[in-house]
RNA sequence: GGGCCCGUGGCUCAGCCAGGCAGAGCGGCUGGCUCUUAACCAGCAUGUCGUGGGUUCAAAUCCCACCGGGCCCGCCA
C-alpha cells in the first residue's frame, strides 16, 4: 500500500506508461539513449478524431518519457501503400475504378494534392501541426521503395510456413498456411491484394505471383490473370497487416505503440512475429477504446456523425482536444460536436485549479490534475491564468449577434457585464470559436410565425419608425410606445419581434440589439415578415 | 465462438485506471433585477450510482456472477 502511494512523474496515465516502458527497457537491457514511439496515420479516408487521438496520445507518452529524463521521438507512419478497399461515403464514384490500387497511386479526388493518400495524410498532418504535435513523418510507400524493411521482409518470407501455422493457431485464420503474407503490386493492372504470392526465392529475393483476385468485403474482386515476379528491392509490394507492424517495429526500433481495440488480434500476431521471427522484443502497448457518438455508435462518414479534427479546431482550442485525449486512456468516450462547450469549460476549470491556491487533499489527485494541465499545455505553462469566459455564454451571445459583427457585438456585451474589459487576441479567438459553433448548421429559413392583425400593425409601425432612430434607448422606448398605442401587452409584441429577428421568442434587450444589427436591416426583416403574413 | 465498453438526479454526462461526505451542465420550478424578455443574482434535487454477492475501517470506484444496451474481432486491411 505504501508503494501504491508513490506518485509517478506528473501523476497521469502518460507517466505510468512512460515508467513502464522505461522499466521494461531496462529489464531487456536495451539501449535507452533514444526511446522511439510510433503512431500510424491512416491514409485511406478522411481522418477523424480518433486518428489524431492516437498521435496525440503517443506524443503525450513521448513528453512523459522526456519528462522522466529520456530522449524520445514520435514517428508518424503513413499507411499510404495500402490499397483502397471501398469508396468512402461522400467521395466521387469514379474512385471505384481504383479499388485495390495503392492509395498513393490514386489521383486526389479533391485535385489539390499529388495523390489520394497525400491528400488524406496532409489533412492529418495539418491537424497535428495545429495541435502542436511534433513528429517525424514516414511514408509506408517510401519505406518499401527505399528498402527500409528489406531485411525484415526477407526474414518473414523465409519463415512464412511457420508464421502461417502460428496465425492459424492464434486466430484460426488459415489463409497464410497457403499464401505468403506479402502482396505484390500487379505489374499489369496496378493493384495489390488481387495478387496471390506463390513462392519466395531467397537467393534472387523475388516473389512470384498470379493476379487471381481476392475477396474484398462481400464481393469478389477479379484479378487480371497476370503472373510475374516482384523483386523485394523494387518496393513494389507490401507485407500483409498481420506481419507488417512487426517489420516496421523492428526496422525502426519502435519501443511503444498504442492501438485501437479493433486491432487486438493483429497486434498479438505482430508481437509474436516481431519477437520470434525478427528477434526484436515488440514495443510496449496500450490499447484504447474507439471513439463513439452519443448513442454509442461508431463514428463514420456514412452515419453522418463523423467528427474530424478540422471541425473540432474550428470550434474549440487545441488544448481542449489534447485534454480530451490525455484525460484518460481507459474506457470509451462518446463524443459529439454538441459537447464542445463542456470540453472547453473543462479545460478552463483545470486551468483555474492549476493557478489557484487550493489543493485537493489527495496528493495523487492533486498531482494528476496539475500534470494533466501541464501535458495539455504541452509542458509550456503560461505565466498566469488566461481570461475565462463560459463558452456557452459566448455561444449564446454570438447566436443572436448580427451576422459578421459577432466579435465586436459579443465583446461589447462582455464589457458591459463587466466580464471582460478589453478584447485581446485570446478572447477574440474564443468568440470566433463559440460563434461558429453557435451558428453551425443553421438554415436560413423564415420561422413559422403566427401574427395577428393588431400585432402586425404594431410591427409595421415600429419598423417604419426605425430609420429615424439615433440611439438604442429611443428604439426601446418606441417599442413600448407602439405596443401600448395598439392595445397590446409586451408579451403579444416582443416574442413575435424576437422570432422574426432571431428565430426564437426571447432575446436581448431589444433597443440596443436593433441598434447593433443596424436599423435598416431590422426594418427590412420586420416588414418582410409582416407582409408575408398578409398573403396567407 | 472470442474480447471490450456503457448503465450515476427529468435530460446529457463527469467522477472509477492510484477507494475517503455522491457532483456538474442543461432543463424545470420559486424569488430578485429589468420599461417582463438575453445576461446576471438568490434559492429549490428523500439519486436503490443496473442487480446480487465479495474484499475493506471505508466501495459509484477494486474482485466475482448476473441483467439490460452497444461495439469490435471471428472476411480483409
Amino acid at each position: 500500500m505504501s508503494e501504491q502511494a508513490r506518485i509517478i512523474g506528473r501523476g497521469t496515465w502518460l507517466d505510468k506508461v512512460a515508467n513502464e516502458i522505461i522499466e521494461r527497457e531496462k529489464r531487456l537491457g536495451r539501449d535507452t539513449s533514444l526511446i522511439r514511439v510510433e503512431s500510424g496515420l491512416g491514409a485511406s479516408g478522411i481522418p477523424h478524431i480518433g486518428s489524431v487521438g492516437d498521435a496525440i496520445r503517443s506524443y503525450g507518452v513521448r513528453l512523459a518519457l522526456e519528462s522522466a529524463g529520456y530522449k524520445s521521438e514520435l514517428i508518424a507512419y503513413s499507411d499510404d501503400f495500402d490499397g483502397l478497399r471501398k469508396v468512402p461515403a461522400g467521395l466521387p464514384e469514379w474512385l471505384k475504378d481504383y479499388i485495390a490500387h495503392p492509395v498513393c497511386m490514386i489521383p486526389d479526388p479533391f485535385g489539390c494534392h499529388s495523390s489520394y493518400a497525400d491528400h488524406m495524410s496532409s489533412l492529418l498532418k495539418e491537424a497535428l501541426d495545429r495541435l502542436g504535435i511534433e513528429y517525424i513523418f514516414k511514408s509506408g510507400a517510401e519505406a518499401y521503395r527505399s528498402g527500409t524493411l528489406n531485411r525484415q521482409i526477407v526474414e518473414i518470407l523465409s519463415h512464412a510456413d511457420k508464421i502461417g501455422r502460428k496465425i492459424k493457431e492464434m486466430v484460426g485464420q488459415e489463409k497464410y498456411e497457403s499464401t505468403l503474407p506479402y502482396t505484390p503490386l500487379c505489374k499489369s493492372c496496378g493493384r495489390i491484394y488481387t495478387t496471390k504470392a506463390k513462392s519466395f526465392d531467397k537467393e534472387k529475393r523475388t516473389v512470384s505471383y498470379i493476379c487471381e483476385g481476392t475477396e474484398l468485403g462481400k464481393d469478389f474482386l477479379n484479378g487480371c490473370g497476370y503472373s510475374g515476379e516482384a523483386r523485394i528491392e523494387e518496393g513494389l509490394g507490401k507485407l500483409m497487416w498481420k506481419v507488417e507492424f512487426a517489420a516496421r517495429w523492428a526496422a525502426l526500433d519502435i519501443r511503444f505503440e498504442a492501438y485501437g481495440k479493433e486491432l487486438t488480434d493483429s497486434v498479438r500476431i505482430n508481437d509474436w512475429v516481431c519477437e520470434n521471427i525478427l528477434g526484436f522484443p515488440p514495443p510496449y502497448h496500450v490499447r484504447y477504446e474507439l471513439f463513439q457518438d452519443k448513442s454509442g455508435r461508431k463514428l463514420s462518414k456514412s452515419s453522418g456523425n463523423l467528427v474530424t479534427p478540422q471541425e473540432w479546431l474550428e470550434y474549440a482550442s487545441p488544448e481542449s482536444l489534447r485534454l480530451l485525449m490525455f484525460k484518460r486512456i481507459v474506457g470509451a468516450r462518446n463524443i459529439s460536436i454538441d459537447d464542445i462547450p463542456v470540453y472547453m469549460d473543462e479545460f478552463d476549470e483545470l486551468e483555474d485549479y492549476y493557478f489557484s491556491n487550493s489543493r485537493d487533499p489527495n496528493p495523487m489527485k492533486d498531482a494528476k490534475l496539475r500534470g494533466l494541465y501541464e501535458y495539455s499545455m504541452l509542458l509550456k505553462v503560461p505565466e498566469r491564468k488566461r481570461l475565462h469566459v463560459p463558452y456557452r455564454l459566448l455561444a449564446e451571445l454570438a447566436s443572436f449577434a448580427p451576422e459578421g459583427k459577432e466579435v465586436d457585438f459579443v465583446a461589447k456585451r462582455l464589457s458591459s457585464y463587466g466580464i471582460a474589459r478589453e478584447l485581446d487576441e485570446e478572447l477574440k479567438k474564443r468568440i470566433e470559436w463559440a460563434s461558429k459553433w453557435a451558428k453551425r448548421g443553421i438554415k436560413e429559413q423564415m420561422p413559422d410565425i403566427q401574427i395577428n392583425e393588431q400585432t402586425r400593425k404594431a410591427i409595421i409601425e415600429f419598423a417604419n419608425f426605425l430609420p429615424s432612430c439615433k440611439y438604442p434607448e429611443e428604439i426601446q422606448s418606441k417599442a413600448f410606445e407602439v405596443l401600448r398605442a395598439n392595445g397590446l401587452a409586451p408579451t403579444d409584441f416582443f416574442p413575435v419581434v424576437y422570432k422574426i429577428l432571431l428565430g426564437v421568442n426571447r432575446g436581448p434587450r431589444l433597443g440596443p440589439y436593433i441598434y447593433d444589427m443596424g436599423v435598416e436591416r431590422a426594418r427590412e426583416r420586420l416588414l418582410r415578415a409582416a407582409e408575408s403574413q398578409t398573403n396567407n
Side-chain angles (χ1 to χ4, degrees):
Chain A
M1 121 179 224
S2 57
E3 81 262 35
Q4 276 199 325
R6 210 177 99 244
I7 294 169
I8 299 164
R10 297 170 198 266
T12 70
W13 67 265
L14 294 167
D15 301 280
K16 217 157 79 178
V17 167
N19 184 254
E20 276 157 19
I21 294 169
I22 293 161
E23 294 294 312
R24 178 167 180 263
E25 292 300 326
K26 282 186 189 156
R27 238 176 11 249
L28 290 168
R30 286 202 283 199
D31 178 20
T32 52
S33 59
L34 175 66
I35 301 179
R36 197 174 275 142
V37 306
E38 184 187 44
S39 169
L41 303 181
S44 314
I46 305 278
H48 55 89
I49 206 83
S51 336
V52 284
D54 187 271
I56 293 173
R57 285 167 158 168
S58 305
Y59 186 69
V61 170
R62 184 208 134 155
L63 288 177
L65 283 165
E66 286 181 332
S67 204
Y70 290 81
K71 192 161 176 258
S72 177
E73 65 185 23
L74 169 64
I75 305 286
Y77 190 101
S78 171
D79 290 305
D80 55 1
F81 203 44
D82 284 14
L84 183 71
R85 302 183 52 247
K86 60 173 187 200
V87 179
L91 295 188
E93 266 300 294
W94 59 257
L95 279 169
K96 73 179 193 306
D97 298 338
Y98 288 94
I99 294 283
H101 286 251
V103 282
C104 63
M105 297 177 177
I106 300 174
D108 178 5
F110 299 90
C112 46
H113 290 82
S114 64
S115 70
Y116 181 100
D118 194 27
H119 183 96
M120 299 308 175
S121 52
S122 292
L123 283 173
L124 219 30
K125 287 193 279 185
E126 184 230 18
L128 293 179
D129 291 342
R130 287 168 70 187
L131 285 159
I133 307 298
E134 300 166 287
Y135 56 90
I136 294 164
F137 181 77
K138 286 243 187 279
S139 145
E142 180 56 29
Y144 282 105
R145 212 159 30 233
S146 64
T148 308
L149 307 175
N150 284 358
R151 231 181 53 219
Q152 286 74 25
I153 295 172
V154 169
E155 274 310 297
I156 286 169
L157 293 182
S158 304
H159 298 91
D161 49 346
K162 195 173 164 190
I163 295 170
R165 280 197 302 273
K166 192 70 188 178
I167 291 175
K168 167 75 167 72
E169 182 194 318
M170 288 175 87
V171 296
Q173 187 185 10
E174 295 174 354
K175 174 174 170 174
Y176 294 107
E177 288 182 317
S178 56
T179 312
L180 296 172
Y182 185 87
T183 177
L185 178 73
C186 178
K187 279 186 181 132
S188 171
C189 67
R191 292 177 298 176
I192 54 178
Y193 305 155
T194 50
T195 54
K196 180 168 181 167
K198 292 287 185 190
S199 63
F200 172 60
D201 186 325
K202 200 173 175 181
E203 293 305 306
K204 286 158 61 190
R205 293 156 80 93
T206 55
V207 171
S208 64
Y209 67 90
I210 302 175
C211 185
E212 60 178 31
T214 185
E215 271 180 55
L216 252 191
K218 289 175 199 137
D219 308 323
F220 187 85
L221 197 59
N222 288 317
C224 69
Y226 180 85
S227 72
E229 287 198 334
R231 286 182 55 233
I232 303 298
E233 269 77 11
E234 288 175 325
L236 298 177
K238 72 185 288 287
L239 291 168
M240 301 300 267
W241 259 29
K242 292 249 168 17
V243 299
E244 187 176 39
F245 284 144
R248 248 148 82 170
W249 294 333
L252 301 175
D253 189 21
I254 302 298
R255 310 293 180 86
F256 168 78
E257 176 150 7
Y259 63 92
K261 74 168 178 185
E262 83 280 16
L263 263 36
T264 306
D265 282 344
S266 188
V267 168
R268 260 174 70 218
I269 292 164
N270 275 288
D271 278 350
W272 183 87
V273 170
C274 202
E275 180 91 57
N276 298 283
I277 303 297
L278 303 176
F280 179 83
Y284 184 82
H285 301 294
V286 294
R287 181 173 62 175
Y288 54 84
E289 289 292 315
L290 269 22
F291 286 87
Q292 304 167 329
D293 73 6
K294 302 194 87 156
S295 51
R297 264 186 276 279
K298 188 178 173 177
L299 297 174
S300 73
K301 180 102 185 191
S302 47
S303 321
N305 57 4
L306 195 77
V307 179
T308 69
Q310 275 73 19
E311 216 180 336
W312 188 284
L313 294 171
E314 195 177 332
Y315 306 129
S317 63
E319 46 267 40
S320 69
L321 182 54
R322 294 191 299 248
L323 174 59
L324 175 70
M325 297 301 170
F326 290 159
K327 202 171 136 183
R328 59 181 164 91
I329 182 86
V330 296
R333 299 213 66 132
N334 298 4
I335 63 168
S336 156
I337 288 293
D338 297 341
D339 293 332
I340 288 266
V342 175
Y343 298 117
M344 285 293 279
D345 290 347
E346 186 179 359
F347 183 84
D348 285 351
E349 272 165 41
L350 188 63
E351 190 167 68
D352 284 339
Y353 179 82
Y354 188 83
F355 285 102
S356 81
N357 294 317
S358 60
R359 290 276 173 279
D360 192 295
N362 182 339
M364 292 196 170
K365 287 199 169 157
D366 177 60
K368 178 181 160 179
L369 289 170
R370 300 175 61 78
L372 205 46
Y373 177 71
E374 290 163 346
Y375 282 123
S376 299
M377 292 303 292
L378 301 177
L379 304 183
K380 286 170 238 157
V381 174
E383 299 264 316
R384 59 192 128 89
K385 198 169 94 173
R386 280 102 35 101
L387 177 71
H388 294 165
V389 183
Y391 191 92
R392 280 185 199 285
L393 170 58
L394 296 179
E396 182 73 29
L397 292 173
S399 71
F400 49 74
E403 225 178 306
K405 291 184 176 176
E406 288 87 356
V407 171
D408 287 341
F409 180 89
V410 175
K412 222 164 104 186
R413 288 298 161 123
L414 293 175
S415 159
S416 75
Y417 300 158
I419 293 172
R421 261 174 310 175
E422 55 188 65
L423 178 66
D424 59 11
E425 276 307 304
E426 182 68 23
L427 180 58
K428 194 176 158 196
K429 264 193 303 187
R430 280 171 175 256
I431 296 173
E432 282 167 353
W433 286 325
S435 147
K436 282 184 199 155
W437 181 81
K439 296 194 171 180
R440 74 195 191 286
I442 53 166
K443 292 149 201 114
E444 198 53 61
Q445 51 182 346
M446 189 52 76
D448 182 33
I449 326 170
Q450 298 299 320
I451 308 181
N452 66 35
E453 202 46 46
Q454 270 323 69
T455 310
R456 175 173 27 253
K457 245 186 82 195
I459 286 174
I460 292 170
E461 193 180 322
F462 177 60
N464 285 324
F465 174 78
L466 289 176
S468 66
C469 288
K470 295 210 166 50
Y471 306 102
E473 282 312 308
E474 225 178 323
I475 301 171
Q476 185 73 12
S477 303
K478 192 67 186 178
F480 281 89
E481 202 180 296
V482 167
L483 70 89
R484 281 176 194 140
N486 285 278
L488 297 169
T491 27
D492 299 323
F493 182 76
F494 284 101
V496 179
V497 174
Y498 285 116
K499 192 94 184 164
I500 294 169
L501 297 179
L502 295 169
V504 292
N505 57 11
R506 297 188 309 186
R509 205 171 143 84
L510 196 59
Y513 180 71
I514 287 183
Y515 183 79
D516 285 335
M517 79 178 286
V519 287
E520 270 307 335
R521 191 160 148 173
R523 173 174 178 269
E524 193 228 332
R525 291 273 287 277
L526 290 171
L527 289 179
R528 191 151 42 108
E531 275 150 21
S532 78
Q533 284 288 314
T534 319
N535 302 335
N536 293 347

